[in-house]
Amino acid sequence: MQRSTGLWRLRNNMINRVDVLLSSVMPVILVDEILRLVNRLRTRWCSSSSAASTMDYLHALSPVPTMIFQPAIPQVPIPSLQDTCQRYLASQWAFLNPREFAETKTLVGEFEKGAGVDLNNELLELNKKNSHTSYITDFWMDVYLRYRDSVILKTSPMTFITNDHRPEYMDQTIRATNVIVSLLRFLKTLREDKLFPDVVHKNPAVTDTEGFWRSFRSLSAEDAYRHAVDSSVQPLDMSQFTRIFNATRIPRNNRDELYKDDTKRHLLVIANSHMYVLDVLDSDGSLVPGQDIRANLQYILNNSSSLPPPEHPIGYLTTEHRDTWTRLREKLLAVCPDNEETVRLIDSALFCVCLEDDTDDSKEQLARKGLYGNAGNRWFDKPFQLIVTSDGQLMTNIEHSWGNGVTLKRLFTDAYEDAVSRPAITPGGTTHTSSVDSSKSVSKLEFKLDSALCQGIEEAKANHALATSQLNVQWVQYPRYGSSFMKKCGVSPDAVAQLALQMAYHRVTGGVAATYESCSTSMFKHGRTETIRSATAETKSCTEAFYKNSGVNMDEKRSLVKACSDKHRLLSKEAIQGQGWDRHLFALRCLATVTGRPMPAVFQDPAYANINTITLSTSTTGISKSSAGAAFAPVSPGGLGVAYTVTGDGVSWMGTSYSASPSLSDFARSVHEAYDDLYEVMSY
């Protein structure tokens, strides 16, 4: 019920006058008691009058600024050159025979005492001059933006979002609306500095409390950071949060551009390969009511399904080689002025929602839908796309250049929990009523295409079909045991998961896989990732003890498994702390290139090329309420991709391979057998 401004002022004045009157004539104890009642009355009236506005935010608002720690977060550390060289040699041991290892060791020694010293000193000086960022940031961003192949598959992972446990909330437009609104609440909470800072609590029962957060309110960034760390709370870098919304990757010659326009208020929705935009924020920044958003989504579904798919769906162009897409985009903009305005609407949209007209019960087929799907119904340059199947299942496709999984995990964990606990739309409720005229509030995007663009789209379709037809996908679940059993045995669950992959690869190929396990360095300023090199001397010895040396007894095997776990824990700790060797050597190699120095021999060594041709690309998806797994394609033609989750009572993973890779089904079976073999040893 709306209240007149005059009545509202009168009530406030009365409450304020009661405050003054009571404090002047009554005993202190009685005054305190009555003032508590008055404050409850004030809060009750304020909250009821602003119910609509509070529903524009996430439920819990931070008492401290969102970016309170950001200025004080330290740079990614540069390891000592000696440590990096020794760690690199330790990784190489698993791949080289004695002669090859001796040759590589000689090259590393020459680099450590010669060209590497000058490069490292220059890198240290460069880091001092750029204290606002970290040494790896620009070099790593260049890797993504100068990448010229298609962004689908190799560099754009997909994730599954957990289904709503209430079947009635899985209606396509209800589910889409509730998650859209929760993402907008996240956006508004973030932009108004009310989002809780991103941190890791070692003891959340003690530190994730209102009292603890309020203890930061008068502190500077540096003092706040020290107070947090001293309290076993690790602040994380939040720079990537500014790149999530109103952004896109724009293809350019040689190096793409990251573009954003925070002034725009519209959403991009694609259905049946037709594109639409609609405002989801009002001019004052408040959220458009959920019932209006749902009505507009339903209008889009009705309108798109009444039309045949476009003969030349423009979304396919975003799957092309980046130089090809650059040329075709420039041509698209030049055909007519309206095309340029339409493309800008896509570029500046808050995010992209892809409404599917079908679904699938197969986890593998849903992974394909998330990884590449019907490319006419996608725009792969957006930071993320929210894909909604006809039965309300949710997936995301992530363009990787702007950021990493830690940021999106926070985004979708908050949005998922908010959508479940405070849905904007309830089935069968009055919130379904909307008076919006969708024919006016929704705009359908149209493009004028010439023959060259039509031909370019058809070629993109063919290239997309060829590339994706070579991808194999397999979903695997191992229910016999999980992290609870592994921890009882005194070993790291992640180490066991990685060891099982090494053992399986050896069984299928007889070799050792150059392995990449992604590790976040978000505890540092502009931190991205470091590599955990999971194929080690320990995993090689352990694998051979299981499958080559029949004389090794159970106690010895158990000791070898424990050694693998200990080594993996060490490598993980070093990577989290920015002490891996990959990023440091990569930065030194980039510096040699940009400064015109002769390329040091260590980087021309075949062993360096071999260990950096990643055969086994892996990542743990972790455990959260919102996550139901992930998938990504291998990064090399003969490689495998494995996104895995270790729960208390089992392991699940999504594997991918190409036609030239080892058999994915054989590999999956061998992983299962490796877990069985490890169980026998650990339970001995």
Side-chain angles (χ1 to χ4, degrees):
M1 181 176 66
Q2 293 184 342
R3 301 172 176 83
S4 70
T5 303
L7 178 59
W8 179 243
R9 285 177 181 163
L10 175 62
R11 290 184 181 275
N12 275 342
N13 288 337
M14 288 174 64
I15 291 173
N16 291 334
R17 290 181 66 185
V18 169
D19 287 353
V20 175
L21 179 62
L22 289 174
S23 61
S24 64
V25 300
M26 289 195 173
V28 172
I29 295 177
L30 185 57
V31 167
D32 287 347
E33 181 62 29
I34 295 178
L35 282 178
R36 275 195 289 271
L37 294 173
V38 171
N39 285 330
R40 286 181 193 171
L41 175 63
R42 176 188 288 120
T43 301
R44 189 174 178 183
W45 273 87
C46 290
S47 62
S48 65
S49 70
S50 60
S53 61
T54 57
M55 288 298 287
D56 280 4
Y57 301 92
L58 295 177
H59 176 64
L61 303 181
S62 175
V64 299
T66 300
M67 299 292 179
I68 185 172
F69 302 117
Q70 192 64 28
I73 289 179
Q75 294 174 288
V76 178
I78 300 177
S80 75
L81 184 60
Q82 180 181 14
D83 285 346
T84 290
C85 289
Q86 292 308 306
R87 288 167 181 150
Y88 170 67
L89 280 175
S91 292
Q92 285 285 17
W93 190 92
F95 299 92
L96 305 177
N97 63 38
R99 179 186 59 79
E100 292 169 335
F101 185 80
E103 292 172 354
T104 293
K105 186 176 182 180
T106 297
L107 295 177
V108 170
E110 293 172 352
F111 178 75
E112 184 182 341
K113 296 176 182 178
V117 175
D118 290 340
L119 284 170
N120 199 54
N121 287 338
E122 184 164 346
L123 186 65
L124 291 167
E125 286 301 313
L126 191 64
N127 200 42
K128 287 180 183 178
K129 294 177 182 177
N130 294 293
S131 59
H132 64 284
T133 186
S134 289
Y135 79 95
I136 194 64
T137 304
D138 289 342
F139 292 134
W140 200 243
M141 186 64 80
D142 256 14
V143 169
Y144 282 107
L145 297 183
R146 292 189 184 279
Y147 183 76
R148 297 291 86 195
D149 286 342
S150 170
V151 297
I152 64 165
L153 300 183
K154 292 183 182 179
T155 64
S156 295
M158 65 78 59
T159 65
F160 298 95
I161 299 178
T162 305
N163 288 342
D164 195 309
H165 63 279
R166 302 160 296 184
E168 65 272 22
Y169 281 82
M170 290 293 289
D171 172 88
Q172 185 177 26
T173 57
I174 291 177
R175 186 92 199 277
T177 299
N178 284 332
V179 174
I180 288 168
V181 168
S182 293
L183 288 168
L184 295 173
R185 288 171 179 164
F186 184 99
L187 165 69
K188 188 172 176 64
T189 308
L190 170 67
R191 288 187 175 172
E192 295 189 15
D193 223 16
K194 298 175 181 178
L195 186 71
F196 272 91
D198 210 23
V199 300
V200 176
H201 295 272
K202 186 175 182 179
N203 189 358
V206 174
T207 55
D208 195 10
T209 63
E210 183 177 355
F212 177 76
W213 281 112
R214 290 189 181 280
S215 68
F216 291 91
R217 296 179 77 172
S218 62
L219 300 180
S220 66
E222 290 73 18
D223 289 341
Y225 183 86
R226 281 193 294 270
H227 177 41
V229 173
D230 289 345
S231 304
S232 298
V233 175
Q234 180 59 60
L236 302 180
D237 176 80
M238 295 190 72
S239 60
Q240 294 176 15
F241 285 76
T242 64
R243 305 176 194 151
I244 299 174
F245 300 102
N246 294 112
T248 200
R249 174 175 177 161
I250 295 178
R252 302 290 190 204
N253 284 320
N254 300 319
R255 187 182 192 273
D256 289 354
E257 170 193 350
L258 293 183
Y259 166 89
K260 62 179 295 191
D261 182 353
D262 288 343
T263 66
K264 303 306 181 185
R265 300 179 281 116
H266 62 277
L267 186 69
L268 171 65
V269 179
I270 313 177
N272 196 25
S273 299
H274 294 284
M275 296 185 175
Y276 304 81
V277 293
L278 61 145
D279 282 351
V280 288
L281 298 175
D282 287 334
S283 57
D284 63 355
S286 58
L287 274 62
V288 169
Q291 60 267 30
D292 291 351
I293 294 175
R294 187 190 184 220
N296 288 333
L297 294 180
Q298 190 61 58
Y299 171 85
I300 288 171
L301 283 174
N302 294 341
N303 180 266
S304 63
S305 63
S306 69
L307 302 170
E311 184 179 359
H312 304 291
I314 201 78
Y316 274 98
L317 293 179
T318 63
T319 71
E320 265 289 13
H321 185 282
R322 302 306 290 179
D323 289 341
T324 302
W325 175 207
T326 299
R327 175 177 56 81
L328 291 171
R329 179 184 163 107
E330 290 173 353
K331 186 160 190 58
L332 179 67
L333 300 181
V335 166
C336 73
D338 288 348
N339 280 359
E340 184 169 1
E341 176 60 27
T342 301
V343 171
R344 282 300 176 202
L345 286 171
I346 295 173
D347 291 343
S348 61
L350 286 156
F351 53 94
C352 177
V353 176
C354 309
L355 299 177
E356 303 289 272
D357 58 8
D358 62 357
T359 188
D360 205 295
D361 294 330
S362 163
K363 193 91 170 180
E364 289 95 340
Q365 292 306 313
L366 288 172
R368 290 182 181 277
K369 192 180 289 289
L371 283 170
Y372 59 86
N374 170 14
N377 217 54
R378 304 284 186 272
W379 194 265
F380 287 102
D381 288 346
K382 297 299 284 184
F384 74 90
Q385 300 175 86
L386 184 68
I387 302 163
V388 191
T389 66
S390 60
D391 61 352
Q393 296 189 76
L394 295 182
M395 293 154 286
T396 66
N397 180 277
I398 304 160
E399 195 287 303
H400 216 335
S401 64
W402 65 273
N404 292 97
V406 170
T407 302
L408 280 177
K409 182 178 180 181
R410 169 73 189 277
L411 170 66
F412 282 104
T413 297
D414 284 7
Y416 171 82
E417 293 178 355
D418 183 77
V420 170
S421 63
R422 298 194 309 154
I425 294 293
T426 57
T430 56
T431 52
H432 282 261
T433 304
S434 173
S435 59
V436 67
D437 184 352
S438 296
S439 65
K440 294 180 180 178
S441 57
V442 175
S443 298
K444 187 173 184 296
L445 302 184
E446 303 286 358
F447 292 93
K448 184 174 182 179
L449 306 177
D450 62 13
S451 59
L453 286 166
C454 292
Q455 181 181 349
I457 293 172
E458 292 309 302
E459 290 174 357
K461 279 185 183 181
N463 293 337
H464 179 72
L466 178 62
T468 57
S469 68
Q470 299 177 51
L471 184 71
N472 305 306
V473 182
Q474 187 166 349
W475 169 246
V476 180
Q477 291 178 289
Y478 183 83
R480 186 175 183 183
Y481 64 94
S483 60
S484 297
F485 172 77
M486 299 174 197
K487 290 175 182 178
K488 286 180 182 178
C489 296
V491 292
S492 157
D494 192 58
V496 173
Q498 287 289 331
L499 175 58
L501 297 178
Q502 294 298 320
M503 292 168 67
Y505 188 84
H506 175 82
R507 291 190 70 164
V508 172
T509 69
V512 180
T515 305
Y516 179 107
E517 181 183 358
S518 179
C519 176
S520 172
T521 52
S522 58
M523 63 188 288
F524 301 110
K525 192 182 297 291
H526 299 172
R528 297 288 299 250
T529 59
E530 180 55 273
T531 305
I532 301 173
R533 289 287 181 165
S534 304
T536 63
E538 289 77 6
T539 61
K540 183 178 182 181
S541 297
C542 187
T543 297
E544 291 176 347
F546 272 79
Y547 299 139
K548 290 181 71 174
N549 303 330
S550 58
V552 181
N553 63 40
M554 284 291 203
D555 286 333
E556 290 171 324
K557 288 180 180 179
R558 188 178 180 117
S559 295
L560 289 169
V561 172
K562 182 65 165 60
C564 291
S565 176
D566 291 343
K567 183 60 175 288
H568 192 79
R569 279 194 174 111
L570 175 63
L571 293 177
S572 299
K573 181 180 179 180
E574 289 175 347
I576 290 170
Q577 295 175 344
Q579 295 295 315
W581 62 260
D582 275 79
R583 300 299 179 265
H584 190 195
L585 285 185
F586 173 78
L588 296 176
R589 181 165 64 89
C590 289
L591 194 58
T593 299
V594 299
T595 57
R597 287 179 169 89
M599 186 58 64
V602 70
F603 297 125
Q604 301 179 59
D605 182 11
Y608 182 80
N610 178 66
I611 204 170
N612 284 294
T613 302
I614 301 301
T615 307
L616 199 52
S617 180
T618 73
S619 181
T620 177
T621 58
I623 302 174
S624 72
K625 293 180 181 179
S626 66
S627 175
F632 48 82
V635 296
S636 61
L640 296 157
V642 179
Y644 62 92
T645 304
V646 183
T647 62
D649 56 4
V651 184
S652 61
W653 55 278
M654 187 69 75
T656 58
S657 70
Y658 296 118
S659 301
S661 306
S663 167
L664 183 57
S665 59
D666 288 349
F667 179 72
R669 183 173 58 255
S670 294
V671 172
H672 195 286
E673 292 168 352
Y675 276 118
D676 284 344
D677 294 340
L678 288 166
Y679 181 81
E680 288 184 18
V681 169
M682 289 188 289
S683 60
Y684 175 72

mmCIF file with all atom_site columns, all heavy atoms in Angstrom, residues 54-66:
data_model
loop_
_atom_site.group_PDB
_atom_site.id
_atom_site.type_symbol
_atom_site.label_atom_id
_atom_site.label_alt_id
_atom_site.label_comp_id
_atom_site.label_asym_id
_atom_site.label_entity_id
_atom_site.label_seq_id
_atom_site.pdbx_PDB_ins_code
_atom_site.Cartn_x
_atom_site.Cartn_y
_atom_site.Cartn_z
_atom_site.occupancy
_atom_site.B_iso_or_equiv
_atom_site.pdbx_formal_charge
_atom_site.auth_seq_id
_atom_site.auth_comp_id
_atom_site.auth_asym_id
_atom_site.auth_atom_id
_atom_site.pdbx_PDB_model_num
ATOM 1   N N   . THR A 1 54 ? 14.499 -2.724  -1.194 1.00 0.00 ? 54 THR A N   1
ATOM 2   C CA  . THR A 1 54 ? 15.386 -3.711  -0.582 1.00 0.00 ? 54 THR A CA  1
ATOM 3   C C   . THR A 1 54 ? 15.400 -5.009  -1.380 1.00 0.00 ? 54 THR A C   1
ATOM 4   O O   . THR A 1 54 ? 16.388 -5.738  -1.359 1.00 0.00 ? 54 THR A O   1
ATOM 5   C CB  . THR A 1 54 ? 14.970 -4.010  0.872  1.00 0.00 ? 54 THR A CB  1
ATOM 6   O OG1 . THR A 1 54 ? 13.608 -4.451  0.885  1.00 0.00 ? 54 THR A OG1 1
ATOM 7   C CG2 . THR A 1 54 ? 15.109 -2.781  1.742  1.00 0.00 ? 54 THR A CG2 1
ATOM 8   N N   . MET A 1 55 ? 14.330 -5.297  -2.077 1.00 0.00 ? 55 MET A N   1
ATOM 9   C CA  . MET A 1 55 ? 14.302 -6.490  -2.915 1.00 0.00 ? 55 MET A CA  1
ATOM 10  C C   . MET A 1 55 ? 15.170 -6.332  -4.160 1.00 0.00 ? 55 MET A C   1
ATOM 11  O O   . MET A 1 55 ? 15.347 -7.287  -4.916 1.00 0.00 ? 55 MET A O   1
ATOM 12  C CB  . MET A 1 55 ? 12.867 -6.820  -3.328 1.00 0.00 ? 55 MET A CB  1
ATOM 13  C CG  . MET A 1 55 ? 12.008 -7.359  -2.195 1.00 0.00 ? 55 MET A CG  1
ATOM 14  S SD  . MET A 1 55 ? 12.633 -8.914  -1.519 1.00 0.00 ? 55 MET A SD  1
ATOM 15  C CE  . MET A 1 55 ? 12.214 -10.037 -2.848 1.00 0.00 ? 55 MET A CE  1
ATOM 16  N N   . ASP A 1 56 ? 15.716 -5.154  -4.373 1.00 0.00 ? 56 ASP A N   1
ATOM 17  C CA  . ASP A 1 56 ? 16.635 -4.930  -5.490 1.00 0.00 ? 56 ASP A CA  1
ATOM 18  C C   . ASP A 1 56 ? 18.050 -5.394  -5.165 1.00 0.00 ? 56 ASP A C   1
ATOM 19  O O   . ASP A 1 56 ? 18.922 -5.364  -6.033 1.00 0.00 ? 56 ASP A O   1
ATOM 20  C CB  . ASP A 1 56 ? 16.672 -3.449  -5.862 1.00 0.00 ? 56 ASP A CB  1
ATOM 21  C CG  . ASP A 1 56 ? 15.489 -3.032  -6.715 1.00 0.00 ? 56 ASP A CG  1
ATOM 22  O OD1 . ASP A 1 56 ? 14.609 -3.872  -6.953 1.00 0.00 ? 56 ASP A OD1 1
ATOM 23  O OD2 . ASP A 1 56 ? 15.454 -1.862  -7.144 1.00 0.00 ? 56 ASP A OD2 1
ATOM 24  N N   . TYR A 1 57 ? 18.291 -5.790  -3.909 1.00 0.00 ? 57 TYR A N   1
ATOM 25  C CA  . TYR A 1 57 ? 19.630 -6.166  -3.472 1.00 0.00 ? 57 TYR A CA  1
ATOM 26  C C   . TYR A 1 57 ? 19.645 -7.622  -3.019 1.00 0.00 ? 57 TYR A C   1
ATOM 27  O O   . TYR A 1 57 ? 18.603 -8.215  -2.744 1.00 0.00 ? 57 TYR A O   1
ATOM 28  C CB  . TYR A 1 57 ? 20.088 -5.275  -2.305 1.00 0.00 ? 57 TYR A CB  1
ATOM 29  C CG  . TYR A 1 57 ? 20.120 -3.804  -2.615 1.00 0.00 ? 57 TYR A CG  1
ATOM 30  C CD1 . TYR A 1 57 ? 19.015 -3.002  -2.353 1.00 0.00 ? 57 TYR A CD1 1
ATOM 31  C CD2 . TYR A 1 57 ? 21.250 -3.217  -3.169 1.00 0.00 ? 57 TYR A CD2 1
ATOM 32  C CE1 . TYR A 1 57 ? 19.041 -1.644  -2.633 1.00 0.00 ? 57 TYR A CE1 1
ATOM 33  C CE2 . TYR A 1 57 ? 21.285 -1.859  -3.454 1.00 0.00 ? 57 TYR A CE2 1
ATOM 34  C CZ  . TYR A 1 57 ? 20.172 -1.082  -3.182 1.00 0.00 ? 57 TYR A CZ  1
ATOM 35  O OH  . TYR A 1 57 ? 20.193 0.256   -3.463 1.00 0.00 ? 57 TYR A OH  1
ATOM 36  N N   . LEU A 1 58 ? 20.844 -8.164  -2.913 1.00 0.00 ? 58 LEU A N   1
ATOM 37  C CA  . LEU A 1 58 ? 20.980 -9.449  -2.252 1.00 0.00 ? 58 LEU A CA  1
ATOM 38  C C   . LEU A 1 58 ? 20.550 -9.309  -0.798 1.00 0.00 ? 58 LEU A C   1
ATOM 39  O O   . LEU A 1 58 ? 20.590 -8.213  -0.227 1.00 0.00 ? 58 LEU A O   1
ATOM 40  C CB  . LEU A 1 58 ? 22.431 -9.935  -2.332 1.00 0.00 ? 58 LEU A CB  1
ATOM 41  C CG  . LEU A 1 58 ? 22.975 -10.251 -3.730 1.00 0.00 ? 58 LEU A CG  1
ATOM 42  C CD1 . LEU A 1 58 ? 24.447 -10.638 -3.646 1.00 0.00 ? 58 LEU A CD1 1
ATOM 43  C CD2 . LEU A 1 58 ? 22.178 -11.351 -4.411 1.00 0.00 ? 58 LEU A CD2 1
ATOM 44  N N   . HIS A 1 59 ? 20.184 -10.410 -0.192 1.00 0.00 ? 59 HIS A N   1
ATOM 45  C CA  . HIS A 1 59 ? 19.595 -10.359 1.146  1.00 0.00 ? 59 HIS A CA  1
ATOM 46  C C   . HIS A 1 59 ? 20.549 -9.746  2.171  1.00 0.00 ? 59 HIS A C   1
ATOM 47  O O   . HIS A 1 59 ? 20.157 -8.908  2.986  1.00 0.00 ? 59 HIS A O   1
ATOM 48  C CB  . HIS A 1 59 ? 19.194 -11.770 1.581  1.00 0.00 ? 59 HIS A CB  1
ATOM 49  C CG  . HIS A 1 59 ? 18.670 -11.839 2.986  1.00 0.00 ? 59 HIS A CG  1
ATOM 50  N ND1 . HIS A 1 59 ? 17.512 -11.202 3.369  1.00 0.00 ? 59 HIS A ND1 1
ATOM 51  C CD2 . HIS A 1 59 ? 19.157 -12.447 4.107  1.00 0.00 ? 59 HIS A CD2 1
ATOM 52  C CE1 . HIS A 1 59 ? 17.293 -11.423 4.653  1.00 0.00 ? 59 HIS A CE1 1
ATOM 53  N NE2 . HIS A 1 59 ? 18.270 -12.177 5.120  1.00 0.00 ? 59 HIS A NE2 1
ATOM 54  N N   . ALA A 1 60 ? 21.807 -10.176 2.168  1.00 0.00 ? 60 ALA A N   1
ATOM 55  C CA  . ALA A 1 60 ? 22.771 -9.693  3.155  1.00 0.00 ? 60 ALA A CA  1
ATOM 56  C C   . ALA A 1 60 ? 23.623 -8.587  2.547  1.00 0.00 ? 60 ALA A C   1
ATOM 57  O O   . ALA A 1 60 ? 24.273 -8.782  1.521  1.00 0.00 ? 60 ALA A O   1
ATOM 58  C CB  . ALA A 1 60 ? 23.659 -10.850 3.621  1.00 0.00 ? 60 ALA A CB  1
ATOM 59  N N   . LEU A 1 61 ? 23.610 -7.410  3.178  1.00 0.00 ? 61 LEU A N   1
ATOM 60  C CA  . LEU A 1 61 ? 24.378 -6.268  2.696  1.00 0.00 ? 61 LEU A CA  1
ATOM 61  C C   . LEU A 1 61 ? 25.592 -6.058  3.587  1.00 0.00 ? 61 LEU A C   1
ATOM 62  O O   . LEU A 1 61 ? 25.513 -6.171  4.817  1.00 0.00 ? 61 LEU A O   1
ATOM 63  C CB  . LEU A 1 61 ? 23.516 -5.009  2.667  1.00 0.00 ? 61 LEU A CB  1
ATOM 64  C CG  . LEU A 1 61 ? 22.236 -5.101  1.828  1.00 0.00 ? 61 LEU A CG  1
ATOM 65  C CD1 . LEU A 1 61 ? 21.486 -3.777  1.861  1.00 0.00 ? 61 LEU A CD1 1
ATOM 66  C CD2 . LEU A 1 61 ? 22.559 -5.506  0.396  1.00 0.00 ? 61 LEU A CD2 1
ATOM 67  N N   . SER A 1 62 ? 26.700 -5.748  2.979  1.00 0.00 ? 62 SER A N   1
ATOM 68  C CA  . SER A 1 62 ? 27.950 -5.612  3.715  1.00 0.00 ? 62 SER A CA  1
ATOM 69  C C   . SER A 1 62 ? 27.990 -4.305  4.507  1.00 0.00 ? 62 SER A C   1
ATOM 70  O O   . SER A 1 62 ? 27.666 -3.240  3.972  1.00 0.00 ? 62 SER A O   1
ATOM 71  C CB  . SER A 1 62 ? 29.135 -5.650  2.746  1.00 0.00 ? 62 SER A CB  1
ATOM 72  O OG  . SER A 1 62 ? 30.346 -5.397  3.425  1.00 0.00 ? 62 SER A OG  1
ATOM 73  N N   . PRO A 1 63 ? 28.426 -4.363  5.768  1.00 0.00 ? 63 PRO A N   1
ATOM 74  C CA  . PRO A 1 63 ? 28.589 -3.136  6.547  1.00 0.00 ? 63 PRO A CA  1
ATOM 75  C C   . PRO A 1 63 ? 29.869 -2.382  6.201  1.00 0.00 ? 63 PRO A C   1
ATOM 76  O O   . PRO A 1 63 ? 30.094 -1.281  6.711  1.00 0.00 ? 63 PRO A O   1
ATOM 77  C CB  . PRO A 1 63 ? 28.622 -3.644  7.990  1.00 0.00 ? 63 PRO A CB  1
ATOM 78  C CG  . PRO A 1 63 ? 29.158 -5.028  7.889  1.00 0.00 ? 63 PRO A CG  1
ATOM 79  C CD  . PRO A 1 63 ? 28.673 -5.574  6.580  1.00 0.00 ? 63 PRO A CD  1
ATOM 80  N N   . VAL A 1 64 ? 30.713 -2.978  5.354  1.00 0.00 ? 64 VAL A N   1
ATOM 81  C CA  . VAL A 1 64 ? 31.945 -2.307  4.928  1.00 0.00 ? 64 VAL A CA  1
ATOM 82  C C   . VAL A 1 64 ? 31.954 -2.227  3.408  1.00 0.00 ? 64 VAL A C   1
ATOM 83  O O   . VAL A 1 64 ? 31.273 -2.999  2.726  1.00 0.00 ? 64 VAL A O   1
ATOM 84  C CB  . VAL A 1 64 ? 33.201 -3.064  5.420  1.00 0.00 ? 64 VAL A CB  1
ATOM 85  C CG1 . VAL A 1 64 ? 33.232 -3.128  6.933  1.00 0.00 ? 64 VAL A CG1 1
ATOM 86  C CG2 . VAL A 1 64 ? 33.261 -4.458  4.827  1.00 0.00 ? 64 VAL A CG2 1
ATOM 87  N N   . PRO A 1 65 ? 32.690 -1.289  2.827  1.00 0.00 ? 65 PRO A N   1
ATOM 88  C CA  . PRO A 1 65 ? 32.740 -1.182  1.367  1.00 0.00 ? 65 PRO A CA  1
ATOM 89  C C   . PRO A 1 65 ? 33.231 -2.467  0.712  1.00 0.00 ? 65 PRO A C   1
ATOM 90  O O   . PRO A 1 65 ? 34.114 -3.155  1.231  1.00 0.00 ? 65 PRO A O   1
ATOM 91  C CB  . PRO A 1 65 ? 33.724 -0.033  1.134  1.00 0.00 ? 65 PRO A CB  1
ATOM 92  C CG  . PRO A 1 65 ? 33.704 0.758   2.394  1.00 0.00 ? 65 PRO A CG  1
ATOM 93  C CD  . PRO A 1 65 ? 33.487 -0.236  3.494  1.00 0.00 ? 65 PRO A CD  1
ATOM 94  N N   . THR A 1 66 ? 32.656 -2.781  -0.433 1.00 0.00 ? 66 THR A N   1
ATOM 95  C CA  . THR A 1 66 ? 33.003 -4.009  -1.145 1.00 0.00 ? 66 THR A CA  1
ATOM 96  C C   . THR A 1 66 ? 34.491 -4.095  -1.428 1.00 0.00 ? 66 THR A C   1
ATOM 97  O O   . THR A 1 66 ? 35.113 -5.152  -1.272 1.00 0.00 ? 66 THR A O   1
ATOM 98  C CB  . THR A 1 66 ? 32.224 -4.079  -2.472 1.00 0.00 ? 66 THR A CB  1
ATOM 99  O OG1 . THR A 1 66 ? 30.820 -4.069  -2.182 1.00 0.00 ? 66 THR A OG1 1
ATOM 100 C CG2 . THR A 1 66 ? 32.567 -5.326  -3.254 1.00 0.00 ? 66 THR A CG2 1
#
